[in-house]
DNA sequence: GCACAGGTAGATT
DNA sequence: AATCTACCTGTG
């Protein structure tokens, strides 16, 4: 180890990124259910890990985003951060092409989260994360994923507080279903284990899937155990930048029923409506609607809470 | 103590 | 083809 403040602290100097956004929007982007490996630390610093890179993000008083990487940085870490944050994509301009002039609710949702981004996470890690997501809250998904990383993933260099990366699919394939259950995955362990074996038998399958056009890529993801329509679309939206992917979950079903009058519509019907109504960037629209809906009723049960005494 | 959680898959009608 | 259910388990 040579001297210098960077290696002493374990983190590189803060560097400004070409991004301005509000604190609530940053929180929604990093911790709103796209990614599950970010934690807010004292001082409003977000720390996250993906594909062997550990990064810290914070906003300055003017709302500009600043980043610091674990030191010594992994090769290509700076480029990995730009890709992860999709800095080459102008989401505000894209949001402007959504039908916000004719869709009041969409306009309101965009207005609530100006600058909301779709992350471009590693494909394989996104698949793993969303296999863990079935009927779990974000906090619990984060706990499961963190346990798998701590127990079975590679320790990152630099600051010990940088944590561990997720194990790759080859490493997951070496785990038993019981190992995964010990990480609180529950019945999801069988799905993760099944996917790991599937991928182990097909080298290059995942990479090829990521490179295919959206319909073909989705068709292939649906072959995986534990991957249905919703998870396939989440993996393609958050892990492959396919902004046409339109995941339909309980929040979107609620939004469509309450805001668009689509009461009683099935997920497949809502998915079709989304594609037609929102177009090629339906996934971006979905993220605004999702964020808005969660902000309206955070952590609340459906109305009609039964009274225990009756 | 008990329903619920950003679902999926297999059984049943 | 549409609807019902089991699957795990930490939180509220």
């Amino acid at each position: 180890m040579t001297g210098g403040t960077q290696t002493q602290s374990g983190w590189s100097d803060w560097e400004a990124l070409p991004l301005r956004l509000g604190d609530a929007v940053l929180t929604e982007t990093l911790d709103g259910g796209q990614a599950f490996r970010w934690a807010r630390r004292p001082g409003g610093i977000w720390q996250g890990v993906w594909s062997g890179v550990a990064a810290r993000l914070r906003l300055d008083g003017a709302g500009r985003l600043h980043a610091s990487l674990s030191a010594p940085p992994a090769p290509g870490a700076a480029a990995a951060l730009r890709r992860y944050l999709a800095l080459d994509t102008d989401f505000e301009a894209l949001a402007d092409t959504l039908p916000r002039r004719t869709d009041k609710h969409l306009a309101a949702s965009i207005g609530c989260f100006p600058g909301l981004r779709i992350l471009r996470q590693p494909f394989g890690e996104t698949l793993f994360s969303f296999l863990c997501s079935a009927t779990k809250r974000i906090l619990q998904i984060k706990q499961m994923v963190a346990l798998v990383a701590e127990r079975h993933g590679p320790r990152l260099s630099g600051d010990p507080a940088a944590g561990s990366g997720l194990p790759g699919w080859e490493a997951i394939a070496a785990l038993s279903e019981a190992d995964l259950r010990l990480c609180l995955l529950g019945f999801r362990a069988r799905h993760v284990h099944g996917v790991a074996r599937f991928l182990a038998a097909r080298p290059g399958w995942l990479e090829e899937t990521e490179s295919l056009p959206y319909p073909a890529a989705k068709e292939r993801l649906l072959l995986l155990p534990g991957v249905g329509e919703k998870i396939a679309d989440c993996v393609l939206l958050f892990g492959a930048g396919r902004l046409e992917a339109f995941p339909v979950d309980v929040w979107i079903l609620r939004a469509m029923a309450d805001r668009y009058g689509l009461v009683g519509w099935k997920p497949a019907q809502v998915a079709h409506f989304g594609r037609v109504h929102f177009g090629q960037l339906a996934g971006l629209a979905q993220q605004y609607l999702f964020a808005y809906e969660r902000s309206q009723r955070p952590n609340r049960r459906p109305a009609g809470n039964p009274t225990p005494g009756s």
Side-chain angles (χ1 to χ4, degrees), chain A residues 158-222:
Chain A
D159 189 340
S164 297
L166 280 173
W169 279 108
E170 321 73 33
I172 296 173
L175 303 176
S176 67
E177 183 180 328
D179 292 329
L180 293 164
R181 282 180 184 263
L182 288 174
C183 298
L184 310 182
L185 263 65
F187 65 83
R188 301 154 198 83
R190 189 163 58 84
H191 297 153
V192 171
H193 187 65
V195 168
R197 284 187 300 148
F198 182 102
L199 296 178
R202 295 166 182 77
W205 189 93
L206 204 54
E207 294 74 13
E208 189 184 342
T209 300
E210 183 182 3
S211 73
L212 289 171
Y214 167 73
K218 182 171 176 181
E219 197 176 352
R220 276 169 64 125
L221 286 175
L222 290 174

Side-chain angles (χ1 to χ4, degrees), chain A residues 106-127:
Chain A
L106 177 61
S109 301
I110 295 172
C112 282
F113 295 92
L116 184 65
R117 311 183 71 73
I118 304 287
L119 299 173
R120 177 71 188 269
Q121 301 172 70
F123 196 60
E125 293 189 1
T126 312
L127 172 60

Side-chain angles (χ1 to χ4, degrees), chain A residues 71-88:
Chain A
L81 177 65
R82 288 195 297 274
R83 175 185 166 94
Y84 185 96
L85 294 173
L87 290 184
D88 58 338

